[in-house]
Amino acid sequence: MTSPSLPERFNFAEHLFSLNSGRASKAAYIDDRGVLSYGALQERSRKVAAALLASGVQREERVLLLMLDGSDWPVCFLGSLYAGVVPVAVNTLLTSEDYAYMLAHSEAKAAMVSGALLPTLQAAMEKGSHQLRTVFVSHPTGELPEGMLELEAAVAAHAPMPQAADTSPRDHAFWLYSSGSTGKPKGTVHVHGSPWWTAELYGKPVLGLTEDDVCFSAAKLYFAYGLGNALTFPLSVGASVVLMAERPTPDAVFKRWTGKAEHQGEGARPTVFFGAPTGFAGMLASPTLPAREAVGLRMCSSAGEALPGDLAQRFKAHYG
């Protein structure tokens, strides 16, 4: 069998948009605020790309991405890739000292931040040197300081970037920081070809995802695990994704499993769930664990640590 290969010119965001050009009206993301179609995902991402370049961010420069899981996250991530800019997706649970270090280390020229996390970013900006010129704020909670832009206004002010940056599979696409368990967190660089390979070698043949699936990940998008679960894999096959800004407590997860979250509906009940052993243990111990017939799950994935066999068997006994 011939091994698949990538063309010399390849932009991962452009690749996903092209794959889903015939799904413009289909739901790509369902979050706490509403539904974002594949068509809107492409248009908004390309507008973000234009806004980034208009703000003065140059090709291959870094942009800090400090956002809660919602449809603006993939819009900003893919918009950055489309522009040839490098998003640095960071954990939303860190301290201002952590972000101060990451701003300096990554030399980020802009930031994209959820309104709820803006105070922490501002504290980080005051703690050390940084090179931020522009801050885009998603769903601000109050009046924005000078030099900061509401993301929605920036999107509205620009036409979609007409053509993706001329990147190759080897060009830098995004950074993810390590946990820092062995010292300072390390900025791990991923290239445009990497998410394509993970989708082709794992998302499709191992997970067997299809466009009929609805994916839901307890692991957030800023984790490599969550990024594959809620962006790389489902968007590579045209599936839909449920996103959740809050912590993945058992009750919060159950609400999405059963289609009872706002804007979701039973028609968007997840068919595939991605979790970790600790989360599965907590759910099985919960008195509100839904009955098998209340959920639409066909498959669950566990990662992060070894899944105890008895835990897997108990879960399988309950849900098949």
Side-chain angles (χ1 to χ4, degrees), residues 84-125:
V85 174
V86 180
V88 180
V90 296
N91 189 324
T92 58
L93 302 176
L94 302 180
T95 66
S96 57
E97 287 82 3
D98 294 318
Y99 299 134
Y101 164 76
M102 291 171 178
L103 283 173
H105 180 260
S106 68
E107 299 180 352
K109 300 300 191 291
M112 296 178 161
V113 59
S114 294
L117 300 172
L118 179 58
T120 310
L121 177 64
Q122 289 175 293
M125 293 166 66

Side-chain angles (χ1 to χ4, degrees), residues 142-307:
E143 188 174 345
L144 295 178
E146 187 177 351
M148 297 191 180
L149 301 173
E150 183 179 0
L151 179 65
E152 197 60 41
V155 167
H158 291 86
M161 184 175 167
Q163 189 172 5
D166 188 17
T167 52
S168 83
R170 299 174 300 281
D171 285 339
H172 292 188
F174 60 96
W175 287 21
L176 299 175
Y177 271 96
S178 66
S179 63
S181 57
T182 58
K184 287 288 188 182
K186 312 297 190 299
T188 307
V189 180
H190 300 257
V191 298
H192 276 268
S194 295
W196 184 85
W197 282 107
T198 59
E200 293 299 314
L201 300 179
Y202 179 69
K204 294 178 182 179
V206 177
L207 294 176
L209 297 181
T210 74
E211 63 180 342
D212 296 325
D213 279 314
V214 177
C215 298
F216 175 43
S217 174
K220 300 299 184 181
L221 280 159
Y222 57 75
F223 287 119
Y225 182 43
L227 183 61
N229 303 340
L231 194 151
T232 304
F233 307 149
L235 267 55
S236 291
V237 298
S240 299
V241 182
V242 172
L243 292 178
M244 177 177 73
E246 64 185 299
R247 289 179 57 247
T249 63
D251 284 344
V253 169
F254 298 159
K255 187 190 298 185
R256 275 78 186 179
W257 278 5
T258 56
K260 291 183 168 57
E262 192 172 2
H263 306 296
Q264 185 183 0
E266 290 197 11
R269 292 188 306 173
T271 59
V272 180
F273 174 71
F274 302 88
T278 302
F280 284 113
M283 289 185 285
L284 284 172
S286 172
T288 58
L289 182 70
R292 181 187 298 194
E293 58 271 17
V295 306
L297 298 173
R298 70 167 185 84
M299 181 178 67
C300 289
S301 164
S302 180
E305 57 183 313
L307 178 67

